[in-house]
Amino acid sequence: MNAGTKWLIQDAYTNGGESIKEIALRLELAEAEVSRALKGVRKQNELPAKEASEVFRIVLVTYDPEWQKALIAKLRTTPLYLDWRRAVLRRDRYRCQECGNTKGVQVDHIYPLSAIVHNRRINSLEEAAECELIWRVNNGRTLCPTCHKRTETYGAKAQQYWRNDEIDE
Ligand SMILES: [Zn+2]
């Protein structure tokens, strides 16, 4: 086998994500030949992804607050979140549930979103989408900015709801 073919095989395997069988079919080679060309070659796009997810886990176990903020900020832009928000606003008729104000109302998670993300070990938007507690309309309330700031869970105050063990609700 010439060096060019070997390179093609290795590139298809490591960067193209093709299996030995697929490469053999495409290049009209025997699977054994393809295997030989790949001796000592690791499938790069598999290994770093696995390592990356482990690093991700470690970050989460130490609860990097910046990372959580980024996930929550992203979550708030998803259609699922906007639907939840709209459902809460409609139920509350767009009024602050504390003072009745209708100006600049915000939708708040009663059981704080950061605490859910933290306590449920939510890693990704996909996991958040599957977390029923986040999307429960009963866990939402409409508040004006003033009343929102007064809550026990506003901003960093929500951290008092963070636990090291998982909640079961
Ligand atoms: Zn209010």
Side-chain angles (χ1 to χ4, degrees):
M1 183 183 294
N2 65 40
T5 308
K6 200 168 175 178
W7 182 87
L8 270 178
I9 292 169
Q10 293 181 351
D11 184 62
Y13 189 75
T14 58
N15 301 316
E18 286 187 65
S19 68
I20 290 170
K21 201 170 184 175
E22 287 169 324
I23 298 165
L25 273 172
R26 191 164 59 81
L27 300 178
E28 297 181 325
L29 294 165
E31 282 184 38
E33 278 187 273
V34 175
S35 292
R36 254 198 310 279
L38 290 171
K39 210 170 176 190
V41 175
R42 286 200 300 194
K43 205 163 189 174
Q44 287 179 355
N45 55 358
E46 271 181 9
L47 197 67
K50 193 164 177 274
E51 280 171 359
S53 79
E54 273 160 20
V55 170
F56 215 37
R57 288 261 166 206
I58 291 161
V59 168
L60 274 175
V61 169
T62 59
Y63 304 117
D64 179 343
E66 290 307 312
W67 179 87
Q68 283 197 324
K69 267 189 221 164
L71 178 68
I72 289 169
K74 210 165 183 183
L75 189 59
R76 288 190 205 276
T77 66
T78 60
L80 200 54
Y81 192 92
L82 298 175
D83 282 349
W84 171 81
R85 190 178 180 278
R86 199 175 305 122
V88 175
L89 284 169
R90 280 192 185 145
R91 184 204 57 198
D92 294 342
R93 299 182 185 278
Y94 300 84
R95 286 184 180 279
C96 172
Q97 297 305 289
E98 292 294 328
C99 71
N101 203 332
T102 55
K103 268 195 187 154
V105 285
Q106 301 166 344
V107 176
D108 176 48
H109 274 90
I110 298 167
Y111 192 107
L113 188 52
S114 72
I116 300 172
V117 167
H118 177 279
N119 297 346
R120 293 275 171 98
R121 313 283 200 265
I122 290 171
N123 268 317
S124 63
L125 290 177
E126 288 74 18
E127 285 177 14
E130 285 168 11
C131 178
E132 189 267 337
L133 184 57
I134 296 176
W135 313 114
R136 214 181 275 172
V137 174
N138 287 345
N139 192 31
R141 60 184 166 183
T142 303
L143 294 171
C144 73
T146 309
C147 293
H148 194 182
K149 279 181 194 138
R150 284 194 194 125
T151 62
E152 291 290 293
T153 54
Y154 187 76
K157 285 188 278 180
Q159 291 186 17
Q160 65 187 309
Y161 287 82
W162 291 16
R163 293 180 197 164
N164 292 321
D165 51 338
E166 286 206 44
I167 50 168
D168 43 60
E169 280 172 63

